[in-house]
Amino acid sequence: MGAEKKWLLTLFSATFLSLLLLLLSSISAFSSPKPFPSIVQHGSSYPPAFAYYIWGGRGDRARIFRLLLAVYHPRNRYLLHLSADESEDERRRLAAAINAVPAIQAFGNVDVVGKPDRITYMGSSNIATTLHAAAIFLKVDSGWDWFVTLSAMDYPLITQDDLSHVFSSVRRDLNFIDHTSDLGWKELHRVQPIVVDPGIYLARRSQIFHATEKRKTPDAFKVFTGSPWVILSRSFLEFCINGWDNLPRTLLMYFTNVMLSQEGYFHSVICNSPEFKNTTVNSDLRYVIWDTPPKMEPLFLNTLDFDQMAQSGAAFARQFKKDDRVLDMVDKKILKRGRNRAAPGAWCSGWRSWWMDPCTQWSDANILKPGPQAKKLEDSITNLLDDWNAQTNQCQ
């Protein structure tokens, strides 16, 4: 009898081990990435692609990585910039985390700035780094259509399938940039003061300093101001970077000494250019709640703002505290994104479960599957384009 029990125990153990090995092999087969990515197609016959410039400072490595996963899609291009006040070790850790994502490793569409620039709050070094990023994108990738700026304190309110689907119906020379020529108090306090950004020429961290004199508001061109967060067309950035007209360089010299120049440089260039001034859609597609008064800094968004934020029809929102619970709500209810996983789209073909990332397998990266948030963004874009067609929001 003892021998029989021993034989049955051995048989049971062998059967159990075989089933376990079979299960593990099947999991491995489904979770391992394809050795070669699907071919990404660009052009007017395919969905648009976006070049994301995402930047942050000291302590923002994890936030930038989370934001990257939230806006990731194989069709897009990404440049991540941890400013010079962050350590090289943190930059290496960011690069290592990126390389550990199977899709990013396969498609090779994410880069980290290896020689970072120094960014000074309220200084013109912000414009320098943004132009630097745009120049890199123009050099390394010919397929993107729009340039999007995001900081570590931003987060998307839509999937990339939603964004590409809605922008498929948008003229690819249009620029989404919040702007106005009504300077108000900014003329005296932002435009006329002369400031110097030490971040341009000093290796150590420093703040801007003010000259004792002020200068008159220019009359050779009209100054525009607005949101520093932009979605700009490839054709306009080629105009700014390649510069067949001297206007972008002339205004760059002027805005080098303007406080918060990122709130006026692109706005003034585009609205003073006969070629591009009629391509401006007056919105940055961001959801922001401003302090009142004086409406100078956006408030931090939290879980109490989620419903209004989700219904806003905006593409992105700002600003958020690090790992705030409202970001988990966006991941769960809008992006359907698991922890440390890319937001899934139609390109993800793997099994979806708590233990398996569907984006470790992929099919055609050129197909889209928009979700419910796409309709809200589409309605917003439609209203904005109605105003644009009526010429009621262009460079005024």
Side-chain angles (χ1 to χ4, degrees):
M1 192 68 169
E4 183 179 351
K5 284 185 177 181
K6 187 176 180 180
W7 179 82
L8 287 174
L9 180 61
T10 303
L11 179 62
F12 175 78
S13 300
T15 304
F16 177 78
L17 182 61
S18 299
L19 288 173
L20 182 61
L21 290 173
L22 180 62
L23 177 61
L24 289 175
S25 65
S26 64
I27 291 174
S28 176
F30 279 110
S31 61
S32 59
K34 289 184 176 181
F36 191 82
S38 64
I39 297 175
V40 175
Q41 301 284 355
H42 294 293
S44 58
S45 301
Y46 296 94
F50 300 85
Y52 279 93
Y53 171 52
I54 303 174
W55 66 272
R58 181 179 293 275
D60 284 336
R61 172 186 55 81
R63 300 173 78 173
I64 286 179
F65 183 61
R66 178 174 185 166
L67 177 56
L68 168 66
L69 294 179
V71 297
Y72 183 76
H73 194 285
R75 295 184 50 76
N76 297 334
R77 192 84 196 191
Y78 302 86
L79 182 65
L80 312 183
H81 182 199
L82 270 172
S83 64
D85 59 349
E86 185 56 282
S87 68
E88 285 302 314
D89 181 62
E90 286 294 279
R91 231 176 311 282
R92 285 192 291 268
R93 291 178 67 186
L94 176 61
I98 291 167
N99 290 330
V101 179
I104 295 177
Q105 190 179 46
F107 286 95
N109 58 340
V110 180
D111 295 292
V112 178
V113 175
K115 188 178 180 181
D117 298 305
R118 192 165 297 279
I119 301 176
T120 306
Y121 178 64
M122 301 183 77
S124 56
S125 50
N126 287 278
I127 289 297
T129 56
T130 303
L131 289 171
H132 181 205
I136 291 173
F137 280 130
L138 289 173
K139 183 177 180 62
V140 302
D141 196 313
S142 61
W144 58 271
D145 301 286
W146 277 284
F147 173 79
V148 184
T149 57
L150 293 176
S151 81
M153 291 189 289
D154 299 335
Y155 216 65
L157 299 177
I158 54 172
T159 67
Q160 292 307 290
D161 279 7
D162 293 339
L163 186 64
S164 292
H165 169 74
V166 174
F167 270 72
S168 294
S169 302
V170 176
R171 273 179 43 178
R172 300 193 184 187
D173 64 335
L174 294 185
N175 296 275
F176 292 80
I177 179 169
D178 172 75
H179 61 278
T180 180
S181 61
D182 183 9
L183 301 178
W185 62 269
K186 289 186 177 182
E187 182 172 12
L188 180 63
H189 297 283
R190 296 275 179 85
V191 176
Q192 293 182 354
I194 301 174
V195 301
V196 177
D197 182 355
I200 295 177
Y201 62 89
L202 290 181
R204 66 183 183 275
R205 182 178 177 85
S206 182
Q207 298 301 316
I208 63 170
F209 60 86
H210 295 252
T212 56
E213 301 275 336
K214 290 188 176 182
R215 57 185 174 183
K216 293 181 179 180
T217 303
D219 57 13
F221 55 86
K222 196 171 185 178
V223 176
F224 286 77
T225 186
S227 168
W229 310 106
V230 294
I231 301 177
L232 301 176
S233 68
R234 184 186 187 95
S235 57
F236 174 62
L237 281 171
E238 287 175 338
F239 172 72
C240 292
I241 301 298
N242 297 332
W244 54 88
D245 188 294
N246 206 35
L247 177 67
R249 286 183 290 271
T250 300
L251 267 63
L252 183 60
M253 288 189 290
Y254 174 79
F255 277 95
T256 297
N257 300 115
V258 172
M259 188 186 307
L260 286 170
S261 56
Q262 68 268 32
E263 295 184 0
Y265 174 69
F266 287 118
H267 316 67
S268 298
V269 172
I270 200 167
C271 284
N272 283 277
S273 168
E275 185 175 352
F276 291 98
K277 67 180 181 179
N278 293 325
T279 66
T280 58
V281 180
N282 201 347
S283 174
D284 60 4
L285 298 182
R286 265 68 170 182
Y287 179 83
V288 178
I289 299 179
W290 294 95
D291 60 337
T292 52
K295 292 190 175 181
M296 293 182 64
E297 288 291 337
L299 299 177
F300 284 101
L301 302 171
N302 56 48
T303 54
L304 298 177
D305 304 307
F306 176 79
D307 290 338
Q308 186 175 354
M309 187 169 58
Q311 296 298 321
S312 66
F316 306 95
R318 74 181 319 269
Q319 57 185 352
F320 299 95
K321 293 181 179 179
K322 184 177 180 179
D323 293 330
D324 193 285
R325 286 188 303 154
V326 70
L327 298 178
D328 297 332
M329 294 177 67
V330 173
D331 283 343
K332 181 179 179 180
K333 297 184 178 183
I334 296 178
L335 303 180
K336 313 299 182 186
R337 189 183 79 87
R339 184 176 178 82
N340 292 325
R341 296 179 180 181
W347 63 278
C348 303
S349 61
W351 284 3
R352 182 193 295 271
S353 67
W354 66 267
W355 45 267
M356 185 177 294
D357 183 355
C359 297
T360 54
Q361 283 279 301
W362 44 84
S363 55
D364 190 350
N366 304 295
I367 60 174
L368 305 174
K369 186 179 180 181
Q373 288 295 112
K375 182 64 171 64
K376 300 180 180 68
L377 176 62
E378 186 175 26
D379 290 342
S380 293
I381 296 291
T382 298
N383 292 333
L384 290 169
L385 293 183
D386 286 344
D387 291 341
W388 177 77
N389 286 321
Q391 296 187 344
T392 59
N393 66 356
Q394 296 178 36
C395 293
Q396 296 180 5

